[in-house]
Amino acid sequence: MKHIKTSIGKRQEEVKLISLLTEIADIFRDFENQNPGEIKRKNNIHRDIVTEVDQKIHRLVYDFSKINDIDVFVSEEGKLDKNLILSKEKKYLILDPLDGTLSYVKKLNYFCTMIAILEGGLITYSALCIPSKKQIVTYDTMLNKFESSRKVELDSNYSEGATYFAYPSKQDFNDQVLKKEIIDLIDVDSSGLFRLGSAGYGFYLTLQGKLCSFIGQKVKIWDAIAFLPLAERVNLHTAYFLIGYDLYLIASWNLEFFKKALNLFLKNNIEMKIYKNNKDLTVFYK
C-alpha cells in the first residue's frame, strides 16, 4: 500500500492542484461571452449534455493525473469500467469537469468543477472551481488546511430554508417510490424543493447556509463526493451510502430534518452511514 505523503510532499501536491484549478478557471474567463462549441446529448437524455469545454477540462485533468501518481482516474466524461470498486491500495482522482453544463450553455451562474483525490480509502483533497464567483477552493483533509480565493460566510438563517434535491432522470420503480417520499418530506418539513441542474452548485449553496439541506438520490460519485469533507468541516449533519458509481447523500443544518431524511432512506433499505472523521469510503466495497 502507498503511504500518505509527508506534509512537504502534500504541500507540493497542493500547489500543483491549485495551479490546475487556476488553469480551469482561466477556461471559464468571460464565460458569459463564450461560445460553448458543439453541444452533444448523452444517452438521448435531454438534460444530459456535453460541450467542448467539458471535454477540454476532462483532458486537462487526465493529463494532470498521468504525471501525478494517480492510479485510477474517474471522470464523468471518461471511459468507465463497468463497476467501481474502491480500494485502499490505489490512489483515485474523481472529476466532474463541468457540473451544470446546461446552465453554462444558457449563460447562467449555476455550474462548477469538482475534484476529489482519494488515497488509503480517505478523501485527502477536495477542490472546487466556482467560475461565476471567481472562486477556487482547496481542502487538505489530512492537514485540515482550507484555502479559498474568496471569503466564505455562513448565512445567519442557515437552519431554515429550502432543500436541494438531486436525482437521476432514469429510475426504476423503487427509485420512484423513494423520490416521491423525499419530495413529500421536503414539502412538509422544509421551505420547498430547489433545483438548478447542478448538484455541485446546490451543495455549494448548502455549505454557505443559503440552502438548509441537500439530498442526493442515486447521483454519481463525481456529482458530490468532493463535498463530504467540506460538509464535515462546517459541521453539517451528513450521511451517505456508496454502491459502485452511485452515491446517496443527506446533508442538513437542521438536525430534525436530517433525522427524518435519514430514517426515510433506511426504511427504503439504503444503508446510510454517518460521515465523520473523514470516513473510509472503501467500507461499502468490502
Side-chain angles (χ1 to χ4, degrees):
M1 176 181 173
K2 295 180 180 178
H3 294 290
I4 301 296
K5 289 181 171 59
T6 65
S7 59
I8 294 175
K10 287 183 70 60
R11 176 58 185 164
Q12 292 172 343
E13 189 168 34
E14 181 184 13
V15 169
K16 292 178 182 178
L17 195 55
I18 292 174
S19 177
L20 173 66
L21 287 170
T22 302
E23 286 189 68
I24 293 170
D26 284 342
I27 292 172
F28 290 113
R29 194 178 301 279
D30 194 30
F31 75 88
E32 296 94 339
N33 299 312
Q34 283 180 348
N35 181 348
E38 184 181 5
I39 300 170
K40 298 179 181 179
R41 183 169 290 128
K42 295 188 292 185
N43 304 316
N44 203 31
I45 299 173
H46 285 280
R47 74 186 198 191
D48 197 1
I49 62 174
V50 60
T51 69
E52 293 174 9
V53 172
D54 296 73
Q55 294 168 338
K56 183 175 182 178
I57 296 173
H58 166 85
R59 291 192 297 269
L60 179 66
V61 181
Y62 173 78
D63 291 343
F64 172 90
S65 74
K66 297 300 287 185
I67 61 175
N68 283 283
D69 199 29
I70 301 297
D71 298 310
V72 182
F73 177 60
V74 179
S75 168
E76 181 179 14
E77 306 308 335
K79 293 182 179 179
L80 303 173
D81 292 337
K82 187 174 182 180
N83 193 25
L84 174 67
I85 302 176
L86 293 179
S87 166
K88 287 185 179 181
E89 310 302 320
K90 294 181 179 180
K91 184 175 180 180
Y92 299 80
L93 190 153
I94 299 176
L95 167 72
D96 194 333
L98 178 48
D99 183 44
T101 303
L102 184 59
S103 289
Y104 167 73
V105 169
K106 296 294 185 180
K107 311 302 182 187
L108 300 174
N109 292 333
Y110 315 125
F111 59 92
C112 60
T113 297
M114 295 171 286
I115 296 172
I117 295 179
L118 280 61
E119 191 170 2
L122 306 176
I123 302 173
T124 56
Y125 279 104
S126 291
L128 314 173
C129 176
I130 316 291
S132 63
K133 301 296 183 182
K134 296 181 170 56
Q135 185 171 10
I136 290 173
V137 173
T138 59
Y139 183 36
D140 178 340
T141 65
M142 309 308 289
L143 298 179
N144 192 27
K145 184 178 181 183
F146 175 85
E147 291 192 5
S148 175
S149 58
R150 289 187 57 174
K151 186 176 181 180
V152 180
E153 295 183 347
L154 182 62
D155 190 281
S156 59
N157 198 30
Y158 60 88
S159 63
E160 297 180 1
T163 299
Y164 194 98
F165 182 27
Y167 54 87
S169 55
K170 290 186 177 181
Q171 294 189 317
D172 62 22
F173 177 78
N174 291 331
D175 294 332
Q176 291 172 2
V177 169
L178 177 56
K179 181 176 76 172
K180 181 182 183 306
E181 292 179 345
I182 292 171
I183 291 173
D184 289 344
L185 173 68
I186 291 171
D187 285 344
V188 173
D189 287 276
S190 80
S191 298
L193 189 152
F194 202 79
R195 281 178 64 82
L196 295 167
S198 169
Y201 202 93
F203 213 136
Y204 170 74
L205 293 176
T206 306
L207 285 173
Q208 299 174 83
K210 304 294 185 184
L211 297 176
C212 183
S213 305
F214 177 96
I215 295 179
Q217 180 198 359
K218 210 173 185 178
V219 297
K220 295 305 178 185
I221 190 171
W222 49 77
D223 287 323
I225 200 71
F227 284 96
L228 281 174
L230 292 165
E232 182 183 16
R233 179 181 178 273
V234 297
N235 296 317
L236 266 168
H237 306 291
T238 307
Y240 76 120
F241 175 75
L242 270 170
I243 179 168
Y245 294 101
D246 295 333
L247 172 64
Y248 297 79
L249 180 61
I250 307 165
S252 182
W253 293 104
N254 187 303
L255 180 58
E256 291 306 312
F257 181 86
F258 173 77
K259 288 179 178 178
K260 289 181 179 180
L262 180 59
N263 287 334
L264 189 59
F265 276 82
L266 294 174
K267 186 191 77 171
N268 282 271
N269 300 314
I270 310 297
E271 298 177 8
M272 307 289 283
K273 293 185 181 295
I274 302 298
Y275 186 83
K276 193 173 182 180
N277 298 324
N278 200 4
K279 196 113 181 152
D280 177 6
L281 302 186
T282 65
V283 67
F284 294 108
Y285 297 88
K286 295 177 180 177

